[in-house]
Amino acid sequence: MPQRHSKNNNDLAFFTYDEKRKLGYGTQKERLGKDSIKPFDACCLCLKSLIDPMSCHKGHLFCKECILQCLLSQKKDIQRKVAAHATQQKQEKEEEEERLMLQKAKELDAFDQQNHGAVPQYSDRNYSRDKNGFHGANSVKATSFEEEALRTMKAFWLPSATPEASVKVEAPSTSTICPEGKEKLKLKTLFPVQFTEDTSEQKKSKALDKTYICPSCKVTLTNTMSLVALSSCGHVFCKKCADRFMAVDKVCLVCNKACKERNLVNLEKGGTGFAAHGDHLEATDFKHLGSGSGLGLVRPAMKT
């Protein structure tokens, strides 16, 4: 059966709906695949397999070297911002003192001129005073021609005569933050995490990468499972075993170390690709076809 005439009619002065779709017009949507999802045992900073894993109380996992380097860089940035803020406050204080001194000197000069019956040689509108304490053209100390020209020049369009707006430096926060959750984070609040590796012969012969299991139920840990880490000892269990044993017995099943309910930390992980998962796994990209943009070369935007 031949196609409809609307599909074959390509001599129109405008694009049909089918032609726009083939050129990638509008919003393109694509489901993220497995390669675009972070595994549960990957660092949130370097996105590689965890080396000496550390976790915060929100459940974000980092390599020890990565999170220490991140916190150190944040502290250096905070010190730089604090120094800039202190310099600005000192400069503002000096400018305020200088303004008060000039105002006081101006009042004394006006009072002196009024008492002696002399007419002031300047008015409030064109009154100017340089840093050395001399009054513009009436000064005994003559300034250079360039400085006088720049001070009196009205050509605001010239770069040399353009006024500069002062940049205000806000008072910085002195606390470091988590690079993933944006909450306050200190080095002493981090705790090491210990995954239980699967050492069975079948896993050794089949898998090249490390696989981790729950030490209680021996189930392989994946992104589809909710994981819980104990901040007291660092061992990781699945959510079911943690709620069934650790929350009731108040003791770790691996090292028999006492734990409390506040020591149970839910670990954050990536998505799974299933529709029932809570994470948003759909990527969208909008493409607009305008005139003179090479419409024949436009292709649908692929975003993974």
Side-chain angles (χ1 to χ4, degrees):
M1 182 176 179
Q3 294 182 351
R4 291 181 298 176
H5 175 68
S6 60
K7 299 288 185 179
N8 300 326
N9 188 14
N10 54 5
D11 58 349
L12 300 177
F14 56 89
F15 284 96
T16 61
Y17 176 74
D18 184 66
E19 290 173 343
K20 289 181 179 179
R21 289 190 59 186
K22 291 181 178 179
L23 291 174
Y25 174 81
T27 303
Q28 304 295 322
K29 297 182 180 180
E30 184 174 352
R31 188 77 175 179
L32 295 179
K34 181 180 179 181
D35 296 336
S36 302
I37 301 173
K38 185 182 77 66
F40 72 94
D41 58 344
C43 175
C44 293
L45 291 175
C46 64
L47 302 180
K48 297 180 181 179
S49 298
L50 291 167
I51 300 176
D52 296 332
M54 305 284 290
S55 175
C56 64
H57 285 285
K58 293 295 183 179
H60 302 112
L61 294 174
F62 309 96
C63 297
K64 185 176 182 179
E65 182 179 358
C66 296
I67 190 61
L68 292 181
Q69 185 176 1
C70 179
L71 294 179
L72 181 60
S73 62
Q74 289 187 29
K75 289 183 178 180
K76 290 182 179 180
D77 191 26
I78 290 173
Q79 292 177 358
R80 180 184 59 81
K81 292 181 179 180
V82 169
H85 183 65
T87 304
Q88 175 183 319
Q89 287 185 333
K90 183 179 179 181
Q91 184 178 1
E92 290 179 352
K93 185 178 180 181
E94 292 178 353
E95 292 178 355
E96 182 66 19
E97 292 178 354
E98 183 179 0
R99 187 184 65 81
L100 293 176
M101 290 177 59
L102 293 177
Q103 184 179 1
K104 186 176 181 180
K106 180 180 176 181
E107 292 176 356
L108 291 175
D109 291 344
F111 179 77
D112 187 34
Q113 295 288 346
Q114 184 178 3
N115 289 341
H116 289 80
V119 180
Q121 299 179 359
Y122 57 86
S123 61
D124 294 338
R125 185 175 181 181
N126 56 4
Y127 176 77
S128 62
R129 186 183 182 93
D130 56 8
K131 296 182 179 180
N132 297 325
F134 298 95
H135 299 276
N138 298 325
S139 174
V140 178
K141 181 179 178 181
T143 58
S144 63
F145 175 76
E146 291 81 5
E147 294 178 356
E148 186 70 21
L150 288 176
R151 186 166 62 246
T152 59
M153 184 179 295
K154 303 300 182 181
F156 59 88
W157 56 87
L158 296 179
S160 58
T162 303
E164 295 182 358
S166 58
V167 180
K168 295 292 184 179
V169 179
E170 300 293 337
S173 176
T174 57
S175 58
T176 54
I177 60 174
C178 177
E180 186 70 15
K182 304 303 179 182
E183 68 272 358
K184 293 183 179 181
L185 178 65
K186 294 183 179 180
L187 183 60
K188 62 181 181 181
T189 59
L190 295 172
F191 63 92
V193 176
Q194 301 180 18
F195 288 98
T196 303
E197 187 177 355
D198 190 1
T199 57
S200 61
E201 296 295 335
Q202 295 180 356
K203 293 294 181 181
K204 284 185 178 181
S205 60
K206 292 183 179 179
L208 298 177
D209 298 333
K210 294 182 180 180
T211 56
Y212 301 103
I213 60 174
C214 174
S216 177
C217 59
K218 306 301 180 182
V219 176
T220 304
L221 302 181
T222 60
N223 275 8
T224 58
M225 303 176 61
S226 298
L227 306 180
V228 176
L230 301 180
S231 60
S232 56
C233 59
H235 291 102
V236 179
F237 299 87
C238 62
K239 180 70 173 177
K240 294 181 179 179
C241 294
D243 294 340
R244 182 179 301 176
F245 300 109
M246 270 69 70
V248 177
D249 299 336
K250 309 296 182 182
V251 65
C252 178
L253 297 179
V254 179
C255 59
N256 294 326
K257 188 175 182 179
C259 64
K260 297 182 180 180
E261 188 174 358
R262 66 171 180 266
N263 298 128
L264 302 178
V265 179
N266 295 321
L267 297 182
E268 295 289 337
K269 59 185 184 303
T272 60
F274 292 98
H277 199 273
D279 292 347
H280 183 69
L281 300 174
E282 189 177 47
T284 60
D285 188 16
F286 179 77
K287 175 163 289 191
H288 173 69
L289 299 180
S291 60
S293 59
L295 298 179
L297 302 177
V298 177
R299 294 293 183 271
M302 303 298 294
K303 186 174 181 180
T304 58

